[in-house]
Amino acid sequence: MMVVMTPEATPAQIEAVVERLEAAGVHAKVMPGELTTAIGAIGDPEGVREMGLEGLPGVDQVIPISRPYKLASSELSHHEPTVVDVDGRRVGGGETFCLIAGPCTVESPDQTRAVARAVAAAGASMLRGGAFKPRSSPFSFQGLGFEGLDILAEVRAETGLPVVSEMTQAGLADRFAEQVDVVQVGARNMQNYGLLEVVGKLGRPVLLKRGLSSTLDELLQAADYVLKEGNENVILCERGIRTFETSMRFTLDLGAVPWLKLHTHLPVIVDPSHASGDRRLVGPLSRAAAAAGADGIIVEVAEEPDLALCDGPQQLYARDFPTFARQVEAHAGLLGKKLA
Ligand code: PEP
Ligand code: MN
């Protein structure tokens, strides 16, 4: 439910409504608008309806919110689109396009440093790289773990590129809060609700990937788990879903981009690498994502993808990245965006 205050409502009256809601165990989110303040009341709608909030001083009306997701909804947040600021790199807001690039997996300091320098020189705003890898088989390379995080921190210090890396378990929280700029929640963990709550408390921006078989409603409800911890810096990522089509690794759901833009205030990026599984498709899908209104892409790049321990066939050659980046930039430019 949404409690809309009158334009004359005082801060004390707003606070009184928040206190009433919280005393009843309802999560309250105050959203100051240009003329009026609204308070999102997230809890059992029937219970909130029966609280008689309309009778409190300063309350104009109490209206139902129909969507299953609340905090992520653009209906609830009648404010500007959320802009996630990662050390000065803006994600979202319609003016910038962010290029996150790097290896699938951190394998060594030299490998990570070389690709970081190459992508930074071509306009990437952040470096991606997995240290803890969620592999389908327990016998596949699982990543370098903490050593991988140390390498990312070292390369970050050398290049100035903020780093994005996936946190696979709640027990890793302290190290991620310390060493990683954007904490990624992978597709396989999108509905790991305990993990989402821990990530929401870290105080770091979160990159939340869509589950392999999750609907967009489910993605936004997963985002609510992070947002309810008071972390507003959530970036959503469409990375392909399972469909009857098997010719590509997953089916990139590009329609998700404009749909999410309509229904949420959160920034939306696209991962063409894991969606396609094939570097030959990454260019066209990235350009399409930019033209469809995505706020950025996260793309896998390596100096020597043929030697990579994970996801070699989908990683762009670093030598091809400058041309790739210019073409994507041109497509983002169609919507008036500049590289972040
Ligand atoms: C990744 O980005 O490294 C990754 C494993 O992606 P996803 O969770 O989308 O499969
Ligand atoms: Mn990968």
Side-chain angles (χ1 to χ4, degrees):
M1 304 289 275
M2 181 135 69
V3 183
V4 182
M5 305 299 290
T6 63
E8 299 79 29
T10 65
Q13 290 170 340
I14 294 168
E15 190 48 39
V17 174
V18 171
E19 277 171 17
R20 267 293 288 279
L21 289 167
E22 286 178 347
V26 176
H27 183 85
K29 178 167 167 65
V30 178
M31 293 164 295
E34 215 158 279
L35 288 178
T36 59
T37 289
I39 303 166
I42 323 282
D44 164 37
E46 274 316 305
V48 174
R49 208 190 300 271
E50 283 162 15
M51 286 170 75
L53 296 167
E54 291 89 340
L56 291 182
V59 174
D60 185 10
Q61 46 177 334
V62 180
I63 46 183
I65 300 167
S66 48
R67 312 264 180 220
Y69 40 90
K70 310 293 179 194
L71 299 173
S73 171
S74 44
E75 217 174 80
L76 177 77
S77 294
H78 62 162
H79 56 61
E80 296 294 299
T82 290
V83 178
V84 177
D85 189 307
V86 185
D87 214 21
R89 279 80 168 172
R90 289 161 63 84
V91 189
E95 286 170 12
T96 56
F97 187 84
C98 89
L99 215 46
I100 305 172
C104 172
T105 309
V106 174
E107 295 179 18
S108 73
D110 287 348
Q111 166 250 12
T112 309
R113 185 178 297 116
V115 69
R117 286 192 178 144
V119 299
S125 53
M126 290 184 235
L127 175 68
R128 66 146 286 140
F132 294 86
K133 297 300 297 178
R135 303 303 301 277
S136 300
S137 164
F139 308 112
S140 302
F141 175 56
Q142 303 284 310
L144 295 180
F146 292 122
E147 189 190 340
L149 291 186
D150 288 339
I151 293 171
L152 285 172
E154 204 177 296
V155 172
R156 183 204 198 293
E158 287 170 19
T159 60
L161 283 182
V163 297
V164 183
S165 200
E166 176 170 352
M167 181 168 134
T168 49
Q169 301 174 35
L172 303 171
D174 291 346
R175 283 289 286 274
F176 271 74
E178 219 173 278
Q179 292 186 296
V180 170
D181 297 280
V182 177
V183 178
Q184 179 171 322
V185 174
R188 289 154 192 82
N189 270 320
M190 188 204 88
Q191 288 180 307
N192 183 340
Y193 301 122
L195 181 67
L196 293 174
E197 286 174 339
V198 170
V199 164
K201 292 189 180 90
L202 286 189
R204 291 283 188 189
V206 175
L207 195 166
L208 177 61
K209 297 189 107 181
R210 179 182 183 181
L212 322 182
S213 302
S214 296
T215 65
L216 294 172
D217 272 9
E218 287 163 344
L219 172 62
L220 293 180
Q221 290 176 84
D224 271 356
Y225 271 91
V226 179
L227 295 166
K228 87 173 166 60
E229 299 303 327
N231 187 345
E232 311 242 308
N233 294 313
V234 178
I235 303 164
L236 303 171
C237 181
E238 160 59 35
R239 47 79 69 214
I241 50 174
R242 285 254 156 88
T243 67
F244 57 83
E245 178 57 73
T246 54
S247 49
M248 287 157 280
R249 193 170 174 191
F250 294 94
T251 301
L252 182 64
D253 180 9
L254 265 186
V257 174
W259 189 93
L260 286 166
K261 288 276 153 201
L262 284 176
H263 292 90
T264 177
H265 54 91
L266 296 171
V268 180
I269 68 169
V270 167
D271 177 345
S273 307
H274 291 93
S276 65
D278 180 341
R279 75 171 65 84
R280 297 169 302 175
L281 306 181
V282 168
L285 294 180
S286 300
R287 300 195 294 270
D295 297 296
I297 52 171
I298 178 167
V299 59
E300 291 190 341
V301 185
E303 292 270 302
E304 297 180 295
D306 309 325
L307 303 180
L309 297 175
C310 182
D311 287 349
Q314 70 195 33
Q315 301 193 59
L316 296 176
Y317 287 96
R319 62 173 182 270
D320 294 336
F321 188 74
T323 305
F324 164 85
R326 294 296 74 77
Q327 291 177 346
V328 174
E329 185 180 19
H331 284 72
L334 294 173
L335 303 183
K337 293 180 193 164
K338 294 199 169 17
L339 285 194

